[in-house]
Amino acid sequence: MNKKYIMPVATVAALLPTLALAQDAAPVSADMVWIMNTLLFLIGGFLVFFMAAGFAMLEGGLVRSKNVTMQMTKNVALFSLATIAYWAFGYNLMYPLGTWSVEGVVSGVFGAGVLEAVGIDLAGADDGEYASTGSDFFFQLMFCAATASIVSGALAERIKLWPFLIFVVLLTGVIYPLQASWKWGGGFLDEAGFLDFAGSTVVHSVGGWAALAGALILGPRIGKYKDGRVNPMPGSNLALATLGMFILWLGWFGFNGGSQLAMGSVGDIADVSRIFANTNAAAAGGAVVALILTQVLYKKPDLTMILNGALAGLVSITAEPLTPSLGMATLIGGIGGVIVVFAVPFLDKLKIDDVVGAIPVHLFAGIWGTIAVVLTNGDASLGTQLYSIAVVGVFTFVVSGVVWFILKAVMGIRVSEEAEIAGLDTAELGMEAYPEFTRG
């Protein structure tokens, strides 16, 4: 480097106070804040989108090989239908923007979602202090679709395709957005002080309640419970299921981190990084606890429990990933792991057949995570958290149950005994995921 370009140290020292004042006098522009917030939603959104692949791989690995194609079909179709249903009426039902037809309960804004015009400036944005409408819609849609994915795995191997997809349209277009408006749309639960940062209740327990209602009405798989015993039905590919778990773990950084809803300041981006760290710690806590517990209880570690332990840890931290310390986040996730290890056999005792463990992971751990908010967030009230869990739970379970009953009466929701034994891939789709193996 040519020495003539090096500024003397004394000169630099003299200029530092001036530079600091200049920096203080030039805050980040409103344009840049809006851009950074929009970028957070887009990055978080495509991370959550990748969770669709995680759900598909997890389910594809945990079902038997004769049903894998059906699970792949359901996951592609449910995401696509959720996209259309949420655009057509779900987005405006979820975000009334202060316009209610029933105050705090039902949105007064109806119709399809509308994006901002092409090539706007900040003055032309729908909300110049927030982010682009397109990024917000995209981010929120990913959460909506994830709710439907939870139901898919629990009801696998015996449900008909088309009744399931009809339920998905109603879940993503009406049930999910309506209850989400009560919290995230500024509705009556939000007014009551309910805290659910990224959706342990609003997203995960809703999927769990809908799955529970469906599992009760649908009934268990043939041969699952016989002569007072639980007959294990091992999945087709645990390597694929493990890949799915890690994809979900990755996507959760967008799920929780993006829910900060802002990235335009030092404080916001520091909080996003804190959320990432806590999210990761909770997943690790859930996995390790499930590993140790299954070794103690069954004398051998159970990989499927470990996978679901990590996911339960993630669900547990989702209601409040910002305020815990790393140690507390690990503990919260670890308790999620405990819940899974004991809840899976508990459901079997009740003869509730959940193929992938979605109900323990998303419903039971979701309830725990929502309660755990009071441990680290001083603004949370235990009474309000429990009240909100009950409201969302009763609404989702009852409405989902009614929809499942109607579908069962009108068109039937369960495949025939012959089709279930043969496998849904050949019976419903005429296409096998592993033709060489199943025919060999």
Side-chain angles (χ1 to χ4, degrees), residues 46-421:
F46 71 63
L47 281 170
V48 181
F49 166 78
F50 198 39
M51 292 175 73
F55 279 114
M57 296 302 97
L58 182 72
E59 294 170 22
L62 293 181
V63 300
R64 290 168 290 179
S65 50
K66 62 183 180 180
N67 296 307
V68 173
T69 302
M70 175 59 85
Q71 287 310 110
M72 300 303 102
T73 303
K74 284 162 60 181
N75 275 276
V76 174
L78 74 84
F79 187 90
S80 303
L81 288 169
T83 296
I84 295 170
Y86 193 68
W87 158 73
F89 32 87
Y91 184 57
N92 282 331
L93 185 61
M94 184 168 164
Y95 289 108
L97 301 177
T99 303
W100 300 91
S101 57
V102 178
E103 186 62 33
V105 179
V106 180
S107 172
V109 183
F110 300 100
V114 179
L115 304 181
E116 289 150 326
V118 175
I120 61 165
D121 58 12
L122 192 61
D126 288 340
D127 188 344
E129 297 181 356
Y130 185 51
S132 74
T133 298
S135 69
D136 183 63
F137 171 82
F138 178 72
F139 184 63
Q140 300 300 337
L141 165 62
M142 299 303 115
F143 283 61
C144 180
T147 307
S149 296
I150 295 166
V151 183
S152 172
L155 308 183
E157 301 201 315
R158 74 268 201 207
I159 194 167
K160 291 181 179 179
L161 176 63
W162 290 105
F164 170 76
L165 295 180
I166 291 170
F167 180 81
V168 165
V169 171
L170 295 173
L171 176 66
T172 57
V174 180
I175 298 172
Y176 169 80
L178 182 57
Q179 62 82 33
S181 74
W182 301 340
K183 167 55 187 172
W184 291 341
F188 73 97
L189 292 182
D190 188 56
E191 288 292 325
F194 176 44
L195 299 181
D196 190 4
F197 192 93
S200 287
T201 285
V202 173
V203 178
H204 294 283
S205 82
V206 167
W209 286 116
L212 178 60
L216 289 171
I217 295 168
L218 189 62
R221 288 167 289 174
I222 296 171
K224 177 66 176 177
Y225 308 112
K226 191 174 182 180
D227 301 326
R229 293 180 299 139
V230 178
N231 298 309
M233 294 181 172
S236 60
N237 192 329
L238 292 185
L240 198 66
T242 302
L243 173 63
M245 183 279 294
F246 274 118
I247 292 173
L248 289 168
W249 191 329
L250 171 65
W252 232 287
F253 297 125
F255 202 100
N256 287 355
S259 296
Q260 175 69 13
L261 303 182
M263 197 171 71
S265 71
V266 171
D268 283 326
I269 198 62
D271 284 351
V272 170
S273 65
R274 183 182 176 94
I275 289 166
F276 272 44
N278 281 338
T279 298
N280 188 69
V288 170
V289 167
L291 168 68
I292 295 170
L293 267 182
T294 53
Q295 174 69 58
V296 171
L297 295 173
Y298 308 125
K299 309 307 178 186
K300 293 181 181 179
D302 184 325
L303 176 60
T304 61
M305 288 288 196
I306 296 167
L307 300 181
N308 277 333
L311 296 176
L314 289 162
V315 172
S316 299
I317 201 65
T318 294
E320 183 49 89
L322 177 59
T323 56
S325 65
L326 284 170
M328 182 58 75
T330 306
L331 177 62
I332 291 170
I335 293 175
V338 173
I339 289 170
V340 161
V341 171
F342 287 101
V344 169
F346 172 71
L347 287 181
D348 280 334
K349 287 182 180 179
L350 299 177
K351 296 184 178 180
I352 298 173
D353 188 11
D354 176 356
V355 177
V356 302
I359 295 168
V361 168
H362 298 279
L363 175 55
F364 295 168
I367 290 171
W368 153 243
T370 307
I371 294 170
V373 175
V374 302
L375 300 178
T376 62
N377 189 325
D379 294 329
S381 160
L382 179 59
T384 301
Q385 296 298 100
L386 293 173
Y387 163 72
S388 301
I389 290 167
V391 167
V392 172
V394 170
F395 167 78
T396 305
F397 183 77
V398 170
V399 175
S400 296
V402 169
V403 173
W404 286 124
F405 268 121
I406 293 172
L407 289 170
K408 182 178 181 179
V410 172
M411 58 194 305
I413 60 175
R414 183 162 185 150
V415 300
S416 67
E417 183 175 340
E418 294 78 10
E420 184 175 341
I421 293 171

